[in-house]
Amino acid sequence: METRPPQAAVSWKQKAYSIIFESDTPAGRAFDIALLWAILLSVVVVMLESVRSINAAYGPYLRAVEWGFTVLFLIEYIARLVVVRRPLTYALSLLGIIDFLSIAPTLISLVLPGSQYLLTIRTLRLLRVFRIFKLGRFVGEGEFIVRALKASRYKILVFLTAVLTLVVVIGTLMYVVEGGQNGFTSIPKSIYWAIVTLTTVGYGDISPVTVLGQSLASVLMILGYAIIAVPTGIVSAQMATPTVPASAPPAFKQVICHVCQATEHRPEAEYCWRCGEKL
Amino acid sequence: METRPPQAAVSWKQKAYSIIFESDTPAGRAFDIALLWAILLSVVVVMLESVRSINAAYGPYLRAVEWGFTVLFLIEYIARLVVVRRPLTYALSLLGIIDFLSIAPTLISLVLPGSQYLLTIRTLRLLRVFRIFKLGRFVGEGEFIVRALKASRYKILVFLTAVLTLVVVIGTLMYVVEGGQNGFTSIPKSIYWAIVTLTTVGYGDISPVTVLGQSLASVLMILGYAIIAVPTGIVSAQMATPTVPASAPPAFKQVICHVCQATEHRPEAEYCWRCGEKL
Amino acid sequence: METRPPQAAVSWKQKAYSIIFESDTPAGRAFDIALLWAILLSVVVVMLESVRSINAAYGPYLRAVEWGFTVLFLIEYIARLVVVRRPLTYALSLLGIIDFLSIAPTLISLVLPGSQYLLTIRTLRLLRVFRIFKLGRFVGEGEFIVRALKASRYKILVFLTAVLTLVVVIGTLMYVVEGGQNGFTSIPKSIYWAIVTLTTVGYGDISPVTVLGQSLASVLMILGYAIIAVPTGIVSAQMATPTVPASAPPAFKQVICHVCQATEHRPEAEYCWRCGEKL
Amino acid sequence: METRPPQAAVSWKQKAYSIIFESDTPAGRAFDIALLWAILLSVVVVMLESVRSINAAYGPYLRAVEWGFTVLFLIEYIARLVVVRRPLTYALSLLGIIDFLSIAPTLISLVLPGSQYLLTIRTLRLLRVFRIFKLGRFVGEGEFIVRALKASRYKILVFLTAVLTLVVVIGTLMYVVEGGQNGFTSIPKSIYWAIVTLTTVGYGDISPVTVLGQSLASVLMILGYAIIAVPTGIVSAQMATPTVPASAPPAFKQVICHVCQATEHRPEAEYCWRCGEKL
């Protein structure tokens, strides 16, 4: 709960702003929860539309509901642009782009049928849900995971490079060993097989037939089985290590920028350190 | 072994109670072990009944035995209701509900054939087995695992939300890329495929055929392979951290409530802190 | 290198003993390495015999070689019985039983054809290989792993019980939901499917077809994906914890009993603390 | 940035050397980045050539480009041999061998068609990419992973021996139990199946059919599911342990030998401690 200096005349724009972008007033919270349900429902509608039997029976109704949601989200998008102090900053922020992508496919589907299924990208809007609990535990825990992954990013990159090199080399060997008649029709396809095997997914759409191929595959599997210990070890070790000194975090203001979702503002900050929006 | 004040006249109800609900007297222990075997046997009978060839040969006998066990468990259930101090509390506790669900399907199967297979829910009654060793190591170790999972619950929830969002977005992309003729007949089915792939299960009932689809699948697999490090890291780090100060645990009374299975009672407690049952 | 009191007359039995059971003299080491190769070769011969095309071409030769190895191992087994101080203790020790099982199948195959393939149990004899490096790092590291697993055994048991209960309950649900026509022909088979899915093996020989079944399977997969964090966390946490005080281990004598492979003898020990054999 | 004594006359050889082998001058960096792209492009060309439809349409062009790259790499290889102080040391170093293997297959393919696909071994040359960032984080992080794996190598070896023994024994049992008609046609094939199952890959090309076989497979799966905790635990514990005292690492010179890629040179070192090359 940030303390806000008492102000004589709060404009309608500021009121609308606090409803749409914030969630610490009853109205703002109600707006966020309504939005959440609208997103969930619209995603379900898009999913149902893709099921042939349901589409055959209720297709027109579903498409009508979908258009309804799109119009709703379009209005919401325009409202956000109007009430925010810096419309361009919002439009180009990650959340702004997701908001836009959540409307675009319906319009595009007029020209390019089928693209409306991309509307499930609306699921990404659910990320806003965390804002409702913004002072709660979720943000902190989510940040803990992200911080641990960030701290391990160079290790993970080195690991991924090693994995990709291994997959290319073994994929090629399998292409030479097994050949096209056993499903290894090209090197890219063999690399795909190597990834399927190393990650222990193992569809079985392509599998080695020759003795040499099965031996090579066995080596790859045992490698994949042992190698998985590496990323796990990296992240475990990172998470077990106290990364931030205990005194530092409470020194930040418990506020999230509504435009760019930046956190870790200085206690006395009045503007976002990243995009300059008023906090 | 809780010390109990010597009492002149112990009613039959109290005796029955100590046999049925407790396991620190020889009679109580024998009852528990007999119950354990009855549960195991009855589950095996239900399983055998589901195998066609065995059902054809011994069906009527198996059904007779099953009815025998159900009557037995029904008597036991009624006995529990009679001897317990607060029948309603027991009936609505987790164990009470499981006890009831272990009898219900046989009765329902008179109306709805096939539902008797749900009797394998009796397996859950085996959880009582831990009570027999109640002062032993198992409860402590089980609680250690549960406590570590509980402490990580917000992190795991954030992780699951991220995984579900990823699965919905990639599932939809695959539906658009591969289309119905390659098995991706609807968005829900594509999401099912994405879960099968991300978790590295990889049945192979649906697998990508186009080059673009296989590339996208490769990305998803490597993500799934790397992402598994996150829950593992969370739980490992949690378990490596001493969560409870070393002096606290022995301060609890080594007793488990027989109605709601609550532990961590105060040393001087005579009644369960959760359901009020006499300890 | 244990120091051994100089002895005037070393009997032939003691000499044979030091060759067969020990590996710190050149002769003993040579014997062990020869044995190692004999085991490896005999296992390869058994494997080759099972390949139809090779069996058709070289069957009689392979069987002759197999009999040769069996006679060799029989002689070795008798020699061990003769030179050891307590033949019965050796015969009933783990290694003694494995030694016996490595000969038995060839003899049994005279009566029961096919049982000779069980000779690959000889692979277990390779465990002796660690003795050659007995003062080296391997024993210590192997013991480290075993100790960590032992310390976690109650936690792992609790975990396995939970997994088995889950698998029985979900397997039954799938049997009721999917039914025989989709491959879930009986409850035991459905439980087998649930294990295949939970462990993320995913053969695809049985896979859900109905929407409800696929949803249930998705839940099981995500559970399996998250649950794997538990055993990993247990073992990681155990291994990260220093279990033995740093001063204790060097206090043991660096010797392994040749009969029962016991370690951790007192520095001044002359006889094995477990089986009483002379060290 | 190593400080280098000012030198009056820098020969053309030294200049070429600093361009080809080093990357801290603008020319050297440009050379490395050009090389990187050449490697990537040549690997893509080889991959495309293996795709039948592309090969049919553009085969001759792709082969021409491939020959172009091979000539380029041949010139580069000769240049390296000329400018380096000890050509033989370079030719026999790991990187020198990889450089040679990146050219050889094209030449061999004149005699043995098909071997040109082995050119994807050029991917290994990408390892040089790390040199560009040599003073950066990557080398350090990569070394951290390698050091953790090295420190765990005995534990991992013991683990792999145990896994291989298990796989041989269970593979044989399955061969005896299931037999040839269910796909388990020989012991080596059954061992291949056991590896596919234990590592949770699960292609499904071979899967047990009999009840006994499925039970045995279930045991193997649950073992595989639990066993994976061991390597993960080993590596996690190793990574969580600070292996090198905090004061030691900065005591090394921040330089990598361009011939053998050795690091950890003494601060005052002028020659590589491993191959004697001038640093």
Side-chain angles (χ1 to χ4, degrees), chain C residues 47 117-125, chain D residues 162-176 187 190-191 194 216 220:
Chain C
M47 281 186 187
Y117 296 124
L118 296 175
L119 285 171
T120 55
I121 210 165
R122 281 176 185 162
T123 319
L124 288 179
R125 297 198 72 197
Chain D
V163 162
L164 286 179
T165 309
L166 183 72
V167 152
V168 168
V169 170
I170 290 198
T172 309
L173 281 176
M174 287 300 282
Y175 172 70
V176 174
I187 293 181
S190 298
I191 292 173
L216 203 57
L220 184 62

Side-chain angles (χ1 to χ4, degrees), chain A residues 1-247:
Chain A
M1 298 288 149
E2 64 245 67
T3 53
R4 211 169 257 268
Q7 222 164 324
V10 178
S11 71
W12 67 268
K13 212 169 161 181
Q14 271 174 310
K15 260 190 209 153
Y17 181 93
S18 86
I19 291 172
I20 297 177
F21 275 97
E22 287 173 10
S23 58
D24 40 15
T25 59
R29 206 178 166 80
F31 178 85
D32 271 8
I33 288 171
L35 187 62
L36 207 71
W37 281 106
I39 295 168
L40 276 176
L41 274 174
S42 77
V43 169
V44 167
V45 165
V46 173
M47 281 187 188
L48 289 179
E49 206 195 324
S50 78
V51 181
R52 195 167 311 195
S53 60
I54 295 175
N55 197 353
Y58 311 100
Y61 306 101
L62 290 173
R63 265 184 294 282
V65 175
E66 187 192 304
W67 270 100
F69 277 119
T70 303
V71 169
L72 216 74
F73 289 145
L74 186 62
I75 293 169
E76 182 222 337
Y77 183 66
I78 292 166
R80 281 183 191 271
L81 282 176
V82 169
V83 302
V84 93
R85 252 173 39 134
R86 305 185 182 196
L88 205 69
T89 313
Y90 161 70
L92 295 177
S93 73
L94 184 64
L95 285 175
I97 291 168
I98 291 176
D99 288 354
F100 178 72
L101 288 178
S102 301
I103 320 165
T106 320
L107 307 173
I108 298 171
S109 76
L110 290 177
V111 190
L112 215 80
S115 60
Q116 79 270 23
Y117 296 125
L118 295 175
L119 284 172
T120 56
I121 212 164
R122 282 176 184 163
T123 319
L124 289 178
R125 297 198 73 196
L126 292 179
L127 295 177
R128 284 181 184 279
V129 72
F130 289 121
R131 201 183 38 183
I132 305 181
F133 313 103
K134 75 175 162 190
L135 300 174
R137 283 173 157 275
F138 288 97
V139 172
E141 301 289 17
E143 262 171 25
F144 173 81
I145 293 176
V146 169
R147 211 185 306 128
L149 287 179
K150 230 182 218 167
S152 326
R153 70 181 173 287
Y154 291 106
K155 286 198 201 73
I156 289 174
L157 238 119
V158 169
F159 171 73
L160 279 184
T161 311
V163 162
L164 286 179
T165 309
L166 184 72
V167 151
V168 168
V169 170
I170 291 198
T172 309
L173 282 176
M174 286 300 282
Y175 172 69
V176 174
V177 165
E178 289 276 334
Q181 71 278 14
N182 295 332
F184 295 78
T185 48
S186 67
I187 293 181
K189 197 153 210 170
S190 299
I191 292 173
Y192 162 72
W193 169 87
I195 293 175
V196 168
T197 300
L198 188 83
T199 56
T200 78
V201 171
Y203 286 131
D205 50 350
I206 313 169
S207 58
V209 176
T210 65
V211 171
L212 191 57
Q214 292 184 339
S215 312
L216 203 58
S218 299
V219 171
L220 184 62
M221 282 176 231
I222 289 180
L223 269 177
Y225 191 62
I227 276 177
I228 204 171
V230 174
T232 309
I234 292 169
V235 177
S236 296
Q238 195 60 50
M239 285 187 173
T241 315
T243 41
V244 185
S247 57

Side-chain angles (χ1 to χ4, degrees), chain D residues 92-105:
Chain D
L92 296 177
S93 72
L94 184 65
L95 285 175
I97 291 168
I98 291 176
D99 288 353
F100 178 73
L101 287 178
S102 301
I103 320 165

